């Protein structure tokens, strides 16, 4: 009898003190603990204001601590890191992740799966965007003979089906007159697997999202073949939330969005420090992080649900439908601007993306220098202790590493291009003015 009497007491002592997904738990003292589960992608660095950077800054926890003082609840955050958006969606539709961040194409799949499985989700903010599509790039091996997208006909191309990078590949091939289903041998692979396949020679090209193209190029393991900005279609990453969580924990969602905005402020005012922080957390080179997230980076960080981004999302639906990954998606029903309006009430709007400028990062410096022209940048870099130099593509505006760009000399002017095809197209149109492709070294000599 004595043993039986102890059982309920033991069970009480062993009961969990916290539950996940916005759930409550009461300890012996009667205090409550609420755990908020956030899914993010540490190496998809255009989500850092809702993931890696936000986590390292502790802003969300600070906001929740203030809330906890008012309502007598202890809030905890469970950060869960994933390589892509697909597993985040799987966990959200299972009710195990409350808030997640991912790219535009995965966001649509998130919306579709949530509706199908009775776990509706909503897009509530943006992290980073590029109005022309420059966040996705097709790269080849450094010694590849491929020079343009047309050369991919019949070749093996690695991508992640259902990702924004796959969407870029499909659209680019269609514009080049190549059937994206039968015109190439598509390899559906995770980014890291595709990078290894490219290096091993089992893939002829790789179409991927940030930061893979920049990282592989920076490390000398790839060169750009196609700049996604040639499509001139916006691409972005955003934050999605479970509808049930947003309804039951509206204040907590507001706290997250306020914290995201604080992280955005930090990134925009301290871009070098932010890049160094993200590099430390992810193991990515800071120079690569800065290529995308810097002052003139490929991505512009702004949580606003801009109309042009929502319109772009609608244009993405047919691509995913053709791949049989979704049916119809009610984009207007998926987008919910109200939480951000509440969280950012009274806050000034961020300026719209501006044209990128050449930028120089010297070793040992916590600030970069911007220039009015590629020539000025090359002149300043000559003989300097350069950590990284960046130049925008003369046509698309996509920022790229100066020493990896394709250079064109035209009289006194020097222009940079992300891809050989971009440089060739420009030279073909400007032969009468003496336009010609030159090496990086020759461009540097001409600048000085």
């Amino acid at each position: 009898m004595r043993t039986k009497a102890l059982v309920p007491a033991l069970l009480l002592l062993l009961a969990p003190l916290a539950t996940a997904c916005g759930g409550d738990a009461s300890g012996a003292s009667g205090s409550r603990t609420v755990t908020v589960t956030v899914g993010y992608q540490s190496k998809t660095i255009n989500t850092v204001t809702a993931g890696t950077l936000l986590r390292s800054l502790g802003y969300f926890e600070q906001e929740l601590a203030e809330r906890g003082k008012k309502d007598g609840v202890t809030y905890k955050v469970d950060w869960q890191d994933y390589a892509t958006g697909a597993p985040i969606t799987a966990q959200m539709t299972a009710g195990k992740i409350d808030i997640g961040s991912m790219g535009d194409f995965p966001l649509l799949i998130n919306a579709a799966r949530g509706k199908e499985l009775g776990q509706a989700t909503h897009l509530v903010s943006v992290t980073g965007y590029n109005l022309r599509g420059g966040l996705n790039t097709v790269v080849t091996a450094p010694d590849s003979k491929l020079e343009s997208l047309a050369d991919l006909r019949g070749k093996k191309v690695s991508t992640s089906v259902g990702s924004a990078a796959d969407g870029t590949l499909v659209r680019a091939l269609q514009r080049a007159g190549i059937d994206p289903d039968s015109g190439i041998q598509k390899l559906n692979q995770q980014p890291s697997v595709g990078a290894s396949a490219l290096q091993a020679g089992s893939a002829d090209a790789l179409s991927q999202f940030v930061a893979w193209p920049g990282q592989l190029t920076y490390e000398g393991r790839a060169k750009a073949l196609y700049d996604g900005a040639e499509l001139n279609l916006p691409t972005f990453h955003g934050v999605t939330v479970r509808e049930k969580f947003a309804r039951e924990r509206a204040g907590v969602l507001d706290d997250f969005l306020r914290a995201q905005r604080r992280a955005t402020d930090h990134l925009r005012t301290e871009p070098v420090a932010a890049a160094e922080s993200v590099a430390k957390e992810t193991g990515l080179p800071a120079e690569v992080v800065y290529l995308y997230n810097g002052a003139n980076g490929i991505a512009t960080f702004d949580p606003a649900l801009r109309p042009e981004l929502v319109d772009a999302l609608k244009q993405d639906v047919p691509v995913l439908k053709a791949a049989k990954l979704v049916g119809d998606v009610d984009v207007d029903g998926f987008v919910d601007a109200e939480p951000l309006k509440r969280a950012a009430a009274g806050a000034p709007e961020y300026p719209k993306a501006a044209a990128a400028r050449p930028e120089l990062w010297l070793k040992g410096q916590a600030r970069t220098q911007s220039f009015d022209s590629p020539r000025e940048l090359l002149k300043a870099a000559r003989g300097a202790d350069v950590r990284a130099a960046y130049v925008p593509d003369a046509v698309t505006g996509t920022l790229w590493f100066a020493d990896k760009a394709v250079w064109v000399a035209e009289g006194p002017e020097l222009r940079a291009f992300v891809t050989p095809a971009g440089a060739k197209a420009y030279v073909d149109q400007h032969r009468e003015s003496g336009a010609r492709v030159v090496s990086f070294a020759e461009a540097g000599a001409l600048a000085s």
Side-chain angles (χ1 to χ4, degrees), residues 291 296 356-360 373-375 377-378 389-394 397-407 414-418 440:
L291 171 72
N296 293 284
R357 300 175 64 198
E359 197 168 358
L360 185 63
S373 71
R375 172 181 283 277
L377 174 133
L378 292 177
Y390 308 93
V391 286
D393 185 283
T398 301
L399 205 67
W400 210 238
F401 297 108
D403 61 333
K404 307 297 184 183
V406 183
W407 287 86
L414 292 167
R415 293 180 172 83
F417 296 85
V418 172
F440 174 60

Side-chain angles (χ1 to χ4, degrees), residues 4-58:
K4 289 182 179 178
L6 285 172
V7 172
L10 286 170
L11 290 176
L12 183 62
L13 289 171
L14 293 172
L17 297 179
T19 57
C21 300
D24 295 350
S26 297
S29 65
S31 63
R32 290 190 301 147
T33 297
V34 173
T35 300
V36 183
T37 306
V38 180
Y40 72 110
Q41 303 170 62
S42 64
K43 293 193 175 182
T44 305
I45 55 175
N46 288 330
T47 65
V48 295
T49 54
T52 305
L53 184 63
L54 177 59
R55 180 180 183 178
S56 68
L57 292 169

Side-chain angles (χ1 to χ4, degrees), residues 247-296:
R247 183 174 61 250
E248 296 177 351
R249 301 284 182 192
V252 173
L253 176 58
D254 291 356
D255 290 338
F256 182 89
L257 295 173
R258 275 191 291 270
Q260 184 196 344
R261 186 178 173 91
R262 289 173 62 189
T264 303
D265 288 340
H266 175 80
L267 185 148
R268 293 181 72 120
T269 57
E270 299 291 340
V272 172
E276 295 278 23
S277 173
V278 171
K280 181 179 179 181
E281 295 290 330
T282 62
L284 290 167
E287 296 85 353
V288 174
V289 178
Y290 197 84
L291 171 72
Y292 292 99
N293 295 8
N296 293 284

